[in-house]
Amino acid sequence: MDRSSLLQLIQEQLDPEHTGFIGADTFTGLVHSHELPLDPAKLDMLVALAQSNERGQVCYQELVDLISSKRSSSFKRAIANGQRALPRDGLLDEPGLGVYKRFVRYVAYEILPREVDRHWYFYRHRSCPPPVFMASVTLAQIIVFLCYGARLNKWVLQTYHPEYMKSPLVYHPGHRARAWRFLTYMFMHVGLEQLGFNALLQLMIGVPLEMVHGLLRISLLYLAGVLAGSLTVSITDMRAPVVGGSGGVYALCSAHLANVVMNWAGMRCPYKLLRMVLALVCMSSEVGRAVWLRFSPPLPASGPQPSFMAHLAGAVVGVSMGLTILRSYEERLQDQCGWWVVLLAYGTFLLFAIFWNIFAYDLLGAHIPPPP
């Protein structure tokens, strides 16, 4: 029986008057008496949904959404608050898994705080499409770095080379009219140390996040952090250029760390306290290094060195927009009031930053270094 036939059968037999609700006891019997083309996690959730309703009814639309692989916040609340029939055994007890399935299980415990979500992800995960966004961005950054390293014959502190700032990818305040630079600066890096740090975090955190939450959401979060980084620098550090993908990296990391803290009891990743401390130390050290290079350059430079404000802007985007995305696993963002509040705040910031870049530099008489 396919999904459409199943839904039609349920509606005809259990909701002939089209009230939008189905009796929970009758529905539970139907679930157990038919061979449904659903994975085990969905079958458990259907039974839990039926038993969790205080009025003894199941909303027909909730059923449609679940069978269609869509989950709403009301369904999540029903599962959380009701007498759920989900299995108590965790995925760690699953025997006979292959290498890839064990990796999927590892990702589920690294990213998701609730057992019901881990089961849902584990059983419905498919290897296609793969997490191509973070891998592609990291590969592009490495290729660009190698090209400029070979061209400049310099692999550390590349920004001190007089030819480096002439790249059409770097954000420079003198080239603000070239709008693509507000994003493409993420492909350029100060040196091997910054590239290595960003690439490591993109692969260790970004790839698992993309596997769980999908390409669209994670790419949106990453690019929002990158764009917020360059725009924040153009407002708060008007003379400084920007290079590196730290805005996007800090958006991902801050969102993930904030999600772990807010769901501390439910997270099952090993050594989570130690890993949290190490992550905060590494991120703080990277910001400290950027501040040092900005205000105390170790080598003579022809102009201001890249700003550190992109790191902080990315972290703010991660805690706000990113946390909203990560707490909404398999739920429709457009159905959540918080998502629209975050979008409104981000849109307001974008408009302010655009007008600032158009008018403020001339009105304030900012002395920016000549563009290379």
Side-chain angles (χ1 to χ4, degrees), residues 214-229:
L215 181 148
L216 183 60
R217 292 188 178 192
I218 297 306
S219 61
L220 173 63
L221 175 58
Y222 185 87
L223 294 177
V226 170
L227 182 58

Side-chain angles (χ1 to χ4, degrees), residues 265-323:
M267 299 301 295
R268 296 280 299 278
C269 49
Y271 309 108
K272 56 185 176 183
L273 180 59
L274 175 61
R275 294 164 63 180
M276 174 75 69
V277 172
L278 289 177
L280 292 176
V281 169
C282 292
M283 294 172 66
S284 301
S285 300
E286 171 63 16
V287 173
R289 185 194 68 88
V291 173
W292 170 62
L293 291 177
R294 174 67 180 92
F295 296 111
S296 299
L299 298 173
S302 57
Q305 288 300 294
S307 176
F308 60 91
M309 290 302 297
H311 300 69
L312 305 182
V316 172
V317 170
V319 172
S320 55
M321 179 184 294
L323 187 58

